[in-house]
């Protein structure tokens, strides 16, 4: 156990109860910090009544900006004594919709918020801590800065499950089946790119039809905190931190920003195909085999990630005053990382490296 400031143990703002014990060095590794710090950033912003920017879609499948409170986002007041931060955990409400080779190896989501009183999981979120600008936009005017987002394959699983949950009845499954049209019956071998590619446009349109049907029921899926740099990516901007949230339906739009390829299946196209097939199987069997779909529908591409998009594409979707001037200053980081916790960081990426190399931020 470590106590770096007399009378105060290392910690993170708002996290009274968590499966990570910040008194110990092992809770400050790169993989832990990239999700635990954003969770406390959300809690801190909530304490200041600053709401994350919520990227949603409208009936026309256009990206629109709203705001979402920290309580709405997490499903519970993040400062409540009932709030339990469960990182890298299974999200039970989604596990009923898919099978895995071993039920003990269900996919884990970055953050599950748990209500200690009701003993229920109230939200499951993926977390992407991203740099602003990325390499693709660092030489552009500040108004055109964007962040690269890498979406991992399990995120598409959670996206599919979030949609399945809205059609979780015999009537709902029938409605979803009709929205997906008959494409699922027309393709005999889904692993054969030559059979699937001619149907891609119809697959995409069917997925967009589902998105239109659900636009009033979309839910948060990806939390994307940004940390803004300046001086050629070498320093934190004075106003450097903010939080963007992507709904499940806006993640579909994120995926569609890349130009389609008529001669090959790209990662982005494959993601839409994965999603369609997961939903199609759900309408037939009440659940789908996630791992089989991802592995068999690889199309000569690695399956460790679904897709990525660079800052040129994200800027168009995220552009707003909060992207240009984030609302949390670098002088406030010491209000989020408590008890000299930054001294326990094991810097492996630029953000935690910067914090370790600039102790004046914590004075």
């Amino acid at each position: 156990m470590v106590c770096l400031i007399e009378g105060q143990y290392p910690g993170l703002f708002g996290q009274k109860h968590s499966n990570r014990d910040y008194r110990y060095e092992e809770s400050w590794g790169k993989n832990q910090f990239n999700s635990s710090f954003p969770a406390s950033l959300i809690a801190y912003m909530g304490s200041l009544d600053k709401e994350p920017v919520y990227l949603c879609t409208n009936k026309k499948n256009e990206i629109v900006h709203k705001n979402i409170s920290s309580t709405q986002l997490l499903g519970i007041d993040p400062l409540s004594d009932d709030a339990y931060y469960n990182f890298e955990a299974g999200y039970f409400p989604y596990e009923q919709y898919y099978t895995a080779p071993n039920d003990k190896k269900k996919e884990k989501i970055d953050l599950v918020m748990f209500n200690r009183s009701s003993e229920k999981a109230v939200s499951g979120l993926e977390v992407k801590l991203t740099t602003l600008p990325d390499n693709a936009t660092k030489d552009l005017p500040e108004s055109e800065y964007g962040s690269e987002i890498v979406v991992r394959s399990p995120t598409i699983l959670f996206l599919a499950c979030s949609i399945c949950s809205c059609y979780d009845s015999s009537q709902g499954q029938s409605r979803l089946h009709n929205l997906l049209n008959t494409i699922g019956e027309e393709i005999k071998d889904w692993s054969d790119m030559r059979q699937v590619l001619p149907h891609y446009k119809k697959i995409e349109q069917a997925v967009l039809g589902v998105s239109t049907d659900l636009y009033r029921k979309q839910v948060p899926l990806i939390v994307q905190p940004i940390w803004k740099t300046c001086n050629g990516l070498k320093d934190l901007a004075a106003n450097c931190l903010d939080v963007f949230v992507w709904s499940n339906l806006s993640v579909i739009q994120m995926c569609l920003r890349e130009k389609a390829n008529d001669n090959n299946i790209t990662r982005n196209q494959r993601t839409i195909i994965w999603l369609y097939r997961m939903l199609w199987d759900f309408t037939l069997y009440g659940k789908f085999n996630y791992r089989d779909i991802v592995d068999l529908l690889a199309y000569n591409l690695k399956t460790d990630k679904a897709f990525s998009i660079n800052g040129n594409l994200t800027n168009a979707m995220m552009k707003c005053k909060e992207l240009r001037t984030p609302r949390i200053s670098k002088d406030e980081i010491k209000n989020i990382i408590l008890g000299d916790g930054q001294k326990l960081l094991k810097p492996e990426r630029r953000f935690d490296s910067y914090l370790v190399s600039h102790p004046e931020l914590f004075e």
Side-chain angles (χ1 to χ4, degrees), residues 20 27-36 87-88 110 346 348-349 352:
R20 291 176 179 165
S27 293
W28 293 86
K30 173 194 70 175
N31 292 331
Q32 292 90 346
F33 187 72
N34 283 351
S35 54
S36 56
F87 295 97
E88 289 294 321
D110 290 331
K346 302 172 184 176
E348 298 177 57
R349 293 187 179 179
D352 43 3

Side-chain angles (χ1 to χ4, degrees), residues 299-337:
Y299 307 126
N300 301 318
L301 297 166
K302 292 182 178 180
T303 60
D304 56 327
K305 71 176 181 180
F307 68 95
S308 63
I309 56 173
N310 67 30
N312 286 312
L313 297 175
T314 61
N315 172 270
M317 292 182 278
M318 297 172 64
K319 185 175 287 188
C320 60
K321 62 182 180 180
E322 291 85 359
L323 188 67
R324 186 180 179 96
T325 307
R327 290 168 288 175
I328 303 301
S329 73
K330 65 181 181 181
D331 294 331
E332 294 175 85
I333 293 174
K334 63 179 178 290
N335 300 333
I336 304 170
I337 299 176

Side-chain angles (χ1 to χ4, degrees), residues 46-58:
S47 73
L48 302 175
D49 292 325
K50 294 179 179 179
E51 299 182 338
V53 178
Y54 190 25
L55 283 73
C56 305
T57 59
N58 60 19

Side-chain angles (χ1 to χ4, degrees), residues 121-308:
V122 290
S123 65
L125 300 163
E126 290 281 84
V127 182
K128 305 288 179 189
L129 180 60
T130 60
T131 313
L132 182 75
D134 65 353
N135 284 327
T137 59
K138 63 183 176 63
D139 297 321
L140 299 177
E142 197 172 2
S143 62
E144 297 179 35
Y145 281 178
S147 297
E148 179 187 37
I149 300 178
V150 178
V151 176
R152 66 194 190 107
S153 301
T155 305
I156 308 308
L157 162 66
F158 303 134
L159 167 57
C161 291
S162 71
I163 293 174
C164 292
S165 70
C166 296
Y167 296 99
D168 192 7
S169 66
S170 57
Q171 184 178 2
Q173 285 177 237
S174 177
R175 178 178 179 83
L176 178 58
H177 189 82
N178 291 334
L179 287 168
L180 294 174
N181 214 316
T182 60
I183 308 157
E185 298 169 353
E186 296 170 25
I187 300 172
K188 303 306 179 186
D189 184 356
W190 282 82
S191 66
D192 186 347
M193 186 188 307
R194 294 168 299 178
Q195 289 192 39
V196 177
L197 192 55
H199 295 274
Y200 175 74
K201 286 295 182 183
K202 288 193 292 183
I203 291 172
E204 182 181 300
Q205 287 306 309
V207 168
L208 287 173
V210 174
S211 180
T212 296
D213 192 52
L214 286 185
Y215 85 100
R216 294 186 185 277
K217 297 181 179 180
Q218 56 198 301
V219 294
L221 179 59
I222 295 179
V223 173
Q224 184 202 353
I226 57 167
W227 57 283
K228 186 176 181 181
T229 63
C230 58
N231 299 327
L233 311 182
K234 295 177 182 178
D235 197 1
L236 281 178
N239 284 76
C240 62
L241 292 168
D242 216 312
V243 175
F244 290 76
V245 177
W246 297 79
S247 78
N248 55 345
L249 302 185
S250 67
V251 173
I252 295 173
Q253 290 303 310
M254 184 196 300
C255 184
L256 293 175
R257 293 296 150 149
E258 181 193 68
K259 186 177 180 181
N261 189 324
D262 293 330
N263 302 312
N264 208 348
I265 292 178
T266 66
R267 282 185 178 274
N268 295 55
Q269 289 172 291
R270 184 184 66 176
T271 299
I272 296 297
I273 294 167
W274 281 350
L275 177 59
Y276 179 95
R277 181 59 192 274
M278 291 175 194
L279 298 179
W280 178 259
D281 282 6
F282 168 72
T283 67
L284 297 179
Y285 312 115
K287 57 177 59 182
F288 56 87
N289 191 315
Y290 159 70
R291 182 47 58 188
D292 275 1
I293 290 172
V294 168
D295 289 344
L296 294 175
L297 280 58
Y299 307 126
N300 301 318
L301 297 166
K302 292 182 178 180
T303 60
D304 56 327
K305 71 176 181 180
F307 68 95
S308 63

